[in-house]
């Protein structure tokens, strides 16, 4: 009745272990270590062409990574009317993981695998990599939404700063466009922990860099950690509710229900304490919720 063994250390720790196992196997079979979605897809494709299949433990790790990524994605998208670029990137990455699974999972019969990489499927993998790196920047990926003013099309995008004379040290750095400032025609850009008001000619669309992609693949973002903790707390609350419902219906004793409640509370407190130790500003659940849901909007 308690949390499953795969998530007993929390969803974040489980995701980290799952992706580490997958990447370690890909590296062993097709070095070097894939640090981008494109590299991961290319490695998987080459392995499938050689008829290399995932062993059972790697397949289980990949399944777990997909499951946990999907849970976080659904947490973000279940209560919003429109997704943002981060949500789209999440969706494309999940699709990439599913493509790796389709190529490398052992066949269920002696028949040839329908999802083996072919010339017809290669463009699909290429598009997944392109979309993850740059989303809808390149022409031809998606139809332009004519209802969106041109001044708003950069909002929510990763950009490369270039051509600044007043602050040349910012040139070459990447940032995130928070909003368009209609009173002066500039864009409010977040670069690290600072915000800058930049002219349109000083920013241009930028793909996610290799190091950033590697961090994204491994889930090394405070927002992802916070979202995982929220899901863990929700699961613990569900376990407690189930325990007391079972007690009410005579399926378990009062002592068992109380013991299960204490175990769930201790588990949630342990995970929260571990997150706070790593990120001291996350000292309360309200701050965890803020980071998980609002940090992408500030």
């Amino acid at each position: 009745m308690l949390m499953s063994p795969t998530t007993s250390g929390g969803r974040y720790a489980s995701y980290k272990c799952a992706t580490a196992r997958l990447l370690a196997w890909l590296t062993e079979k097709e070095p070097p270590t894939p640090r981008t979605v494109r590299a991961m897809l290319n490695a998987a494709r080459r392995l499938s062409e050689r008829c290399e299949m995932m062993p059972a433990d790697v397949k289980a790790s990949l399944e777990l990574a997909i499951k946990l990524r999907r849970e976080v994605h659904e947490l973000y998208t279940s209560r919003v009317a429109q997704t943002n670029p981060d949500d789209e990137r999440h969706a494309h990455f999940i699709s990439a993981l599913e493509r790796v699974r389709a190529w490398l999972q052992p066949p269920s019969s002696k028949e040839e695998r329908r999802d083996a990489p072919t010339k017809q499927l290669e463009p699909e993998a290429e598009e997944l990599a392109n979309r993850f790196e740059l989303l809808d920047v390149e022409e031809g990926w998606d139809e332009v939404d004519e209802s969106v003013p041109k001044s708003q099309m950069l909002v929510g995008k990763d950009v490369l700063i270039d051509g600044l004379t007043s602050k040349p040290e910012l040139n070459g750095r990447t940032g995130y466009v928070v909003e368009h400032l209609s009173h002066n025609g500039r864009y409010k850009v977040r670069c690290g922990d600072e915000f800058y008001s930049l002219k349109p000619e000083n920013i241009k669309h930028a793909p996610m860099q290799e190091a950033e992609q590697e961090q994204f693949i491994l889930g090394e973002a405070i927002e992802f950690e916070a979202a995982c903790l929220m899901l863990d707390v929700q699961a613990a609350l569900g376990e407690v509710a189930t325990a007391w419902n079972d007690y009410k219906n005579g399926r378990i004793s009062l002592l068992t229900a109380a013991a299960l409640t204490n175990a769930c509370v201790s588990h949630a407190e342990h995970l929260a304490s571990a997150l706070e130790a790593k990120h001291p500003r996350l000292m309360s659940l309200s701050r965890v919720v803020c980071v998980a849901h609002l940090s992408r909007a500030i």
Side-chain angles (χ1 to χ4, degrees):
M1 188 173 203
L2 290 172
M3 295 79 173
S4 76
T6 57
T7 58
S8 60
R11 281 168 170 76
Y12 181 68
S14 296
Y15 177 80
K16 293 279 289 182
C17 289
T19 51
R21 179 67 187 102
L22 171 65
L23 293 178
W25 181 76
L26 287 174
T27 302
E28 176 188 349
K29 295 295 183 179
E30 189 67 32
T33 300
R35 301 183 64 204
T36 66
V37 171
R38 183 184 302 278
M40 182 180 70
L41 286 167
N42 285 338
R45 182 169 56 205
R46 288 191 292 269
L47 288 172
S48 187
E49 288 170 349
R50 300 203 305 263
C51 297
E52 290 267 11
M53 298 293 101
M54 291 183 293
D57 66 313
V58 175
K59 182 176 182 295
S61 293
L62 177 55
E63 294 283 2
L64 180 59
I66 292 172
K67 174 181 178 293
L68 296 177
R69 274 285 181 182
R70 188 176 288 124
E71 286 181 354
V72 171
H73 180 60
E74 290 174 354
L75 176 69
Y76 281 133
T77 58
S78 60
R79 297 181 182 179
V80 297
Q82 185 175 3
T83 59
N84 66 21
D86 287 330
D87 298 325
E88 293 174 25
R89 185 174 284 119
H90 237 109
H92 293 319
F93 181 56
I94 292 170
S95 295
L97 290 176
E98 290 172 338
R99 174 53 53 194
V100 171
R101 178 181 62 186
W103 281 347
L104 297 176
Q105 64 183 354
S108 56
S109 67
K110 294 183 180 180
E111 297 179 2
E112 183 179 356
R113 287 173 299 118
R114 297 178 180 178
D115 287 323
T118 64
K119 291 183 179 180
Q120 289 73 30
L121 286 177
E122 286 179 5
E124 179 183 340
E126 179 73 13
E127 184 179 0
L128 278 173
N130 285 339
R131 283 180 172 270
F132 180 86
E133 291 170 357
L134 207 50
L135 289 178
D136 58 347
V137 174
E138 298 291 341
E139 293 181 0
W141 285 351
D142 295 310
E143 295 182 1
V144 175
D145 187 350
E146 297 180 353
S147 66
V148 179
K150 289 185 177 180
S151 62
Q152 297 295 323
M153 288 184 178
L154 279 175
V155 176
K157 305 294 185 183
D158 294 316
V159 293
L160 182 68
I161 301 172
D162 185 47
L164 288 178
T165 56
S166 60
K167 286 185 173 292
E169 66 274 14
L170 293 178
N171 292 330
R173 295 185 61 183
T174 56
Y176 179 85
V177 178
V178 178
E179 64 176 317
H180 177 255
L181 305 173
S182 57
H183 67 281
N184 61 11
R186 296 188 174 210
Y187 289 93
K188 182 178 181 180
V189 178
R190 183 177 67 195
C191 188
D193 294 327
E194 302 292 331
F195 292 87
Y196 301 94
S197 176
L198 303 178
K199 295 179 181 179
E201 57 264 32
N202 293 128
I203 57 176
K204 59 183 179 181
H205 290 295
M208 182 180 277
Q209 301 301 307
E210 184 178 89
E212 292 177 289
Q213 283 203 52
E214 184 176 30
Q215 290 178 338
F216 185 93
I217 291 171
L218 295 172
E220 293 177 350
I222 190 172
E223 299 90 344
F224 185 75
E225 290 186 68
C228 286
L229 178 60
M230 287 180 60
L231 290 167
D232 289 331
V233 171
Q234 289 178 6
L237 290 173
E239 294 281 0
V240 170
T242 298
W244 288 103
N245 184 63
D246 287 346
Y247 165 70
K248 181 180 178 181
N249 290 291
R251 287 191 285 269
I252 61 175
S253 67
L254 176 62
L255 184 61
T256 301
L260 288 170
T261 298
N262 289 336
C264 288
V265 171
S266 296
H267 178 70
E269 287 180 341
H270 170 74
L271 296 176
S273 296
L275 183 61
E276 182 184 346
K278 186 176 180 181
H279 304 288
R281 66 191 177 104
L282 300 182
M283 78 263 306
S284 68
L285 185 58
S286 62
R287 292 204 173 191
V288 171
V289 173
C290 179
V291 167
H293 285 285
L294 303 182
S295 63
R296 297 179 298 171
I298 60 176

Coordinates of all heavy atoms in Angstrom, one line a residue, residues 191-221:
C191 N 18.3 37.0 -18.0 CA 19.6 36.4 -18.2 C 20.2 36.0 -16.9 O 20.7 36.9 -16.1 CB 20.5 37.4 -19.0 SG 22.0 36.7 -19.6
G192 N 20.2 34.7 -16.6 CA 20.6 34.3 -15.2 C 19.6 34.8 -14.2 O 18.4 34.6 -14.3
D193 N 20.1 35.5 -13.2 CA 19.2 36.1 -12.2 C 18.8 37.5 -12.4 O 18.2 38.2 -11.6 CB 19.8 35.9 -10.8 CG 20.0 34.5 -10.4 OD1 19.1 33.7 -10.8 OD2 20.9 34.2 -9.7
E194 N 19.3 38.1 -13.5 CA 19.1 39.5 -13.8 C 18.1 39.7 -15.0 O 17.9 38.8 -15.8 CB 20.4 40.2 -14.2 CG 21.5 40.1 -13.1 CD 21.2 40.9 -11.9 OE1 20.5 41.9 -12.0 OE2 21.6 40.5 -10.8
F195 N 17.5 40.9 -15.0 CA 16.5 41.2 -16.1 C 17.1 42.4 -16.8 O 17.6 43.4 -16.2 CB 15.2 41.5 -15.5 CG 14.5 40.3 -14.9 CD1 14.7 40.0 -13.6 CD2 13.6 39.5 -15.7 CE1 14.1 38.9 -13.1 CE2 13.0 38.4 -15.2 CZ 13.2 38.1 -13.8
Y196 N 16.9 42.4 -18.2 CA 17.4 43.5 -19.0 C 16.3 43.9 -20.0 O 15.5 43.1 -20.4 CB 18.7 43.1 -19.7 CG 19.8 42.7 -18.8 CD1 20.0 41.3 -18.5 CD2 20.7 43.6 -18.3 CE1 21.0 40.9 -17.7 CE2 21.7 43.2 -17.5 CZ 21.9 41.9 -17.2 OH 22.9 41.5 -16.3
S197 N 16.3 45.2 -20.3 CA 15.4 45.8 -21.3 C 16.2 45.9 -22.6 O 17.1 46.8 -22.7 CB 14.8 47.1 -20.8 OG 14.0 47.7 -21.8
L198 N 15.9 45.1 -23.6 CA 16.8 45.0 -24.8 C 16.0 45.3 -26.0 O 14.8 45.0 -26.2 CB 17.4 43.6 -24.9 CG 18.3 43.2 -23.7 CD1 18.8 41.8 -24.0 CD2 19.4 44.1 -23.5
K199 N 16.6 46.0 -27.0 CA 16.0 46.3 -28.3 C 15.9 45.0 -29.1 O 16.6 44.1 -29.0 CB 16.9 47.3 -29.0 CG 17.0 48.6 -28.4 CD 17.9 49.5 -29.2 CE 18.0 50.9 -28.6 NZ 18.9 51.8 -29.3
P200 N 14.9 45.0 -30.0 CA 14.7 43.8 -30.8 C 15.9 43.4 -31.6 O 16.2 42.2 -31.8 CB 13.5 44.2 -31.8 CG 12.8 45.2 -31.0 CD 13.8 46.0 -30.2
E201 N 16.7 44.4 -32.1 CA 17.8 44.1 -32.9 C 19.0 43.5 -32.1 O 20.0 43.0 -32.7 CB 18.3 45.3 -33.7 CG 18.7 46.5 -32.8 CD 17.5 47.5 -32.6 OE1 16.4 47.1 -32.7 OE2 17.8 48.7 -32.4
N202 N 18.9 43.5 -30.8 CA 19.9 42.9 -30.0 C 19.7 41.5 -29.5 O 20.4 41.0 -28.7 CB 20.2 43.8 -28.8 CG 20.8 45.2 -29.2 OD1 20.3 46.2 -28.8 ND2 21.9 45.1 -30.0
I203 N 18.6 40.9 -29.9 CA 18.2 39.5 -29.5 C 17.8 38.8 -30.8 O 17.2 39.3 -31.7 CB 17.1 39.5 -28.4 CG1 15.9 40.2 -28.9 CG2 17.6 40.1 -27.1 CD1 14.7 40.0 -27.9
K204 N 18.1 37.5 -30.8 CA 17.7 36.6 -31.9 C 17.4 35.2 -31.3 O 17.9 34.9 -30.2 CB 18.7 36.6 -33.0 CG 20.1 36.1 -32.6 CD 21.0 36.1 -33.8 CE 22.4 35.6 -33.4 NZ 23.4 35.7 -34.5
H205 N 16.6 34.5 -32.0 CA 16.2 33.1 -31.5 C 17.5 32.3 -31.3 O 18.4 32.4 -32.1 CB 15.4 32.4 -32.6 CG 14.0 33.0 -32.7 ND1 13.1 32.9 -31.7 CD2 13.4 33.6 -33.7 CE1 11.9 33.4 -32.1 NE2 12.1 33.9 -33.3
A206 N 17.5 31.6 -30.2 CA 18.7 30.7 -29.9 C 18.2 29.3 -29.6 O 17.3 29.2 -28.8 CB 19.5 31.3 -28.8
P207 N 18.9 28.3 -30.1 CA 18.6 26.9 -29.7 C 19.1 26.7 -28.3 O 20.0 27.4 -27.8 CB 19.3 26.1 -30.7 CG 20.5 26.9 -31.1 CD 20.0 28.4 -31.1
M208 N 18.6 25.7 -27.6 CA 19.1 25.2 -26.4 C 20.5 24.7 -26.6 O 20.7 23.8 -27.4 CB 18.2 24.2 -25.7 CG 18.6 23.7 -24.4 SD 17.5 22.5 -23.6 CE 16.3 23.5 -22.9
Q209 N 21.5 25.2 -25.8 CA 22.9 24.8 -25.9 C 23.1 23.3 -25.4 O 22.2 22.8 -24.7 CB 23.8 25.7 -25.2 CG 23.7 27.2 -25.6 CD 24.0 27.3 -27.1 OE1 25.1 26.9 -27.6 NE2 23.1 27.9 -27.9
E210 N 24.2 22.7 -25.8 CA 24.5 21.3 -25.5 C 24.4 21.1 -24.0 O 23.8 20.1 -23.5 CB 25.8 20.9 -26.0 CG 26.2 19.5 -25.8 CD 27.5 19.1 -26.4 OE1 28.5 19.2 -25.7 OE2 27.5 18.6 -27.6
A211 N 25.1 22.0 -23.2 CA 25.1 21.8 -21.7 C 23.7 21.9 -21.1 O 23.3 21.2 -20.2 CB 26.0 22.8 -21.1
E212 N 22.9 22.8 -21.7 CA 21.5 23.0 -21.2 C 20.7 21.8 -21.6 O 19.8 21.3 -20.8 CB 20.9 24.2 -21.9 CG 21.5 25.6 -21.4 CD 20.9 26.7 -22.1 OE1 21.1 26.9 -23.3 OE2 20.1 27.5 -21.5
Q213 N 20.9 21.2 -22.8 CA 20.2 20.0 -23.2 C 20.5 18.9 -22.2 O 19.6 18.1 -21.8 CB 20.5 19.6 -24.6 CG 19.8 20.5 -25.6 CD 19.7 19.7 -27.0 OE1 19.2 18.6 -27.0 NE2 20.1 20.4 -28.0
E214 N 21.8 18.7 -21.9 CA 22.2 17.7 -21.0 C 21.5 17.8 -19.6 O 21.0 16.8 -19.0 CB 23.7 17.7 -20.8 CG 24.2 16.5 -20.0 CD 25.7 16.5 -19.9 OE1 26.4 17.5 -20.0 OE2 26.3 15.4 -19.8
Q215 N 21.5 19.0 -19.1 CA 20.8 19.3 -17.8 C 19.3 19.0 -17.9 O 18.7 18.4 -17.0 CB 21.0 20.7 -17.4 CG 22.4 21.1 -17.0 CD 22.6 22.5 -16.6 OE1 21.8 23.4 -17.0 NE2 23.6 22.8 -15.9
F216 N 18.7 19.3 -19.1 CA 17.3 19.0 -19.3 C 17.0 17.5 -19.3 O 16.1 17.0 -18.6 CB 16.8 19.7 -20.6 CG 15.3 19.5 -20.8 CD1 14.4 20.5 -20.3 CD2 14.8 18.4 -21.4 CE1 13.1 20.4 -20.5 CE2 13.4 18.3 -21.6 CZ 12.5 19.3 -21.1
I217 N 17.8 16.8 -20.0 CA 17.7 15.3 -20.1 C 17.8 14.7 -18.8 O 17.0 13.8 -18.4 CB 18.7 14.8 -21.1 CG1 18.4 15.2 -22.5 CG2 18.8 13.2 -21.0 CD1 19.6 14.8 -23.5
L218 N 18.7 15.2 -17.9 CA 19.0 14.6 -16.6 C 18.0 15.2 -15.6 O 18.0 14.7 -14.4 CB 20.4 14.9 -16.2 CG 21.5 14.2 -17.0 CD1 22.9 14.7 -16.6 CD2 21.4 12.7 -16.9
G219 N 17.2 16.1 -16.0 CA 16.2 16.7 -15.0 C 16.9 17.6 -14.0 O 16.3 17.8 -12.9
E220 N 18.0 18.2 -14.3 CA 18.7 19.0 -13.4 C 18.2 20.5 -13.4 O 18.9 21.4 -13.9 CB 20.2 19.0 -13.6 CG 20.8 17.6 -13.4 CD 22.3 17.5 -13.7 OE1 22.8 18.4 -14.3 OE2 22.9 16.4 -13.3
A221 N 17.0 20.7 -13.0 CA 16.4 22.0 -12.9 C 15.6 22.1 -11.7 O 14.8 21.1 -11.3 CB 15.5 22.3 -14.1

